[in-house]
Amino acid sequence: MRLFDTHCHIHDRDFDNDRKAVVERARAAGLIGILALGVTAENTERAVAASRSHDIVWAAAGVHPHDAAEATDADLDRLEELARDHRIVAIGEIGLDYYRNLSPRERQLDVLRRQLATASRAGKPVAVHSREAHDEMLPLLAAWSTEMGGRLPDGRPLGVMHYFSEDATSAHRYIEMGFMISVHTSVTHPKASRLAEVVRETPFEYLVLETDSPYGAPQRYRGRRNEPAYVAEAAARVADIKGVPVETAAELTTRNALRLFGIAEPAGVGQGQGEAE
Ligand SMILES: [Zn+2]
């Protein structure tokens, strides 16, 4: 079984004492890829460092909406430079958070727009955080999608809606605009009926999986630190909802992630070759 955790913070301090063991547990669980997302310029550098130390870890460059107020223009320039690094396969974590409002909304919007421009110039997909900000996010990304012609210049999707929390109708809109939908390990929680509905209604070709480690552990490990290996729990639940074997859910979402991030199929894999766009 092959798995890909499309969103985590394995480069953060929570993993400083056992990062290597965490990566090895992930590998043992079948993970062939883990994306570590930056939330500030400095944090992005940590993500890149983690990616250089562990072959299955890739990095994304971004300023999180919580950190938008602190980000300087020099930071955003630095991120744009970093975005050229081949270990950086996405621009993120970027977005809007009107739930916690840790940065002023105007600043969140400015920093988001600036990073969408970075993604356009780098030709790399975005990883979008959107919390209680749907009314503003949808038109903003729709305008960007129109500007981009609905795809990256090389034909890949524009990005991924991380920790998707809206309904199936919204998921469909984002897909039409050129985005993929990321299903978080919280899909295993008993109250995750809206996310389950999104999984049921969304074709497999638009779904990827994530843990957002160390946050939001799946039901089986609830209350503990989440880690990339637990993305298997999300795969099992998605398989259950879709009525397919877990291997199928894992393989399809993994291929989607590889395609989205432009990562070549690891050598020696029989399936999925010749599918790169
Ligand atoms: Zn995150």
Side-chain angles (χ1 to χ4, degrees), residues 4-8 11 34-41 43-45 47-48 51 57-64 76 78-95 114-129 144 152 154 156-162 179-180 182 208 256-263:
F4 200 118
D5 181 1
T6 67
H7 194 114
C8 79
H11 53 298
I34 296 171
L35 185 62
L37 289 96
V39 298
T40 66
N43 185 263
T44 294
E45 280 167 3
V48 175
S51 153
V57 178
W58 299 83
V63 171
H64 192 285
L76 292 163
R78 173 84 189 109
L79 284 168
E80 181 139 355
E81 238 170 76
L82 277 169
R84 291 197 211 118
D85 190 300
H86 85 283
R87 296 298 300 181
I88 291 192
V89 296
I91 306 304
E93 155 170 16
I94 66 175
R114 164 69 204 269
Q115 295 185 99
L116 289 174
T118 295
S120 310
R121 286 190 284 265
K124 293 185 179 178
V126 291
V128 180
H129 170 112
W144 186 60
L152 291 179
D154 63 6
R156 284 185 287 148
L158 288 176
V160 55
M161 302 307 293
H162 136 72
F179 292 89
M180 306 200 66
S182 181
V208 293
N256 291 342
L258 292 171
R259 182 168 55 96
L260 172 66
F261 299 128
I263 299 170

Side-chain angles (χ1 to χ4, degrees), residues 184-197:
H184 180 255
T185 34
S186 64
V187 71
T188 56
H189 296 176
K191 286 186 180 158
S193 55
R194 183 156 73 167
L195 183 53
E197 177 72 8

Side-chain angles (χ1 to χ4, degrees), residues 3-260:
L3 289 159
F4 200 118
D5 181 1
T6 67
H7 194 114
C8 79
H9 301 274
I10 199 177
H11 53 298
D12 281 2
R13 304 196 195 288
D14 310 67
F15 294 101
D16 275 357
N17 293 330
D18 63 348
R19 190 170 294 107
K20 197 164 178 229
V22 168
V23 172
E24 288 318 310
R25 278 200 292 276
R27 203 191 300 276
L31 276 79
I32 61 162
I34 296 171
L35 185 62
L37 289 96
V39 298
T40 66
E42 192 226 339
N43 185 263
T44 294
E45 280 167 3
R46 287 174 61 90
V48 175
S51 153
R52 292 222 170 88
S53 315
H54 306 280
D55 59 345
I56 62 172
V57 178
W58 299 83
V63 171
H64 192 285
H66 290 340
D67 300 282
E70 305 290 317
T72 63
D73 286 340
D75 287 336
L76 292 163
D77 289 343
R78 173 84 189 109
L79 284 168
E80 181 139 355
E81 238 170 76
L82 277 169
R84 291 197 211 118
D85 190 300
H86 85 283
R87 296 298 300 181
I88 291 192
V89 296
I91 306 304
E93 155 170 16
I94 66 175
L96 300 173
D97 194 308
Y98 292 175
Y99 176 69
R100 294 184 67 192
N101 286 304
L102 296 184
S103 293
R105 292 184 179 192
E106 274 313 308
R107 184 62 185 159
Q108 292 189 38
L109 280 164
D110 283 349
V111 169
L112 171 57
R113 288 199 193 94
R114 164 69 204 269
Q115 295 185 99
L116 289 174
T118 295
S120 310
R121 286 190 284 265
K124 293 185 179 178
V126 291
V128 180
H129 170 112
S130 176
R131 194 156 182 212
E132 305 281 317
H134 182 61
D135 291 348
E136 216 148 349
M137 186 60 84
L138 192 83
L140 196 148
L141 290 184
W144 186 60
S145 170
T146 303
E147 206 179 290
M148 297 293 288
R151 292 274 129 182
L152 291 179
D154 63 6
R156 284 185 287 148
L158 288 176
V160 55
M161 302 307 293
H162 136 72
Y163 213 135
F164 194 74
S165 58
E166 301 293 330
D167 63 13
T169 308
S170 301
H172 184 71
R173 291 220 187 100
Y174 283 112
I175 287 165
E176 282 180 331
M177 284 155 48
F179 292 89
M180 306 200 66
I181 302 298
S182 181
V183 180
H184 180 255
T185 34
S186 64
V187 71
T188 56
H189 296 176
K191 286 186 180 158
S193 55
R194 183 156 73 167
L195 183 53
E197 177 72 8
V198 168
V199 171
R200 200 171 293 119
E201 296 296 322
T202 304
F204 252 125
E205 62 179 300
Y206 303 112
L207 296 177
V208 293
L209 307 177
E210 68 165 274
T211 63
D212 201 18
S213 306
Y215 314 106
Q219 187 66 16
R220 188 197 300 248
Y221 305 105
R222 215 155 168 178
R224 287 166 52 180
R225 183 187 68 173
N226 203 357
E227 64 172 69
Y230 301 166
V231 79
E233 298 285 315
R237 179 70 185 120
V238 166
D240 192 35
I241 294 168
K242 294 285 211 189
V244 300
V246 64
E247 291 77 11
T248 305
E251 179 63 24
L252 293 177
T253 53
T254 296
R255 285 192 206 175
N256 291 342
L258 292 171
R259 182 168 55 96
L260 172 66

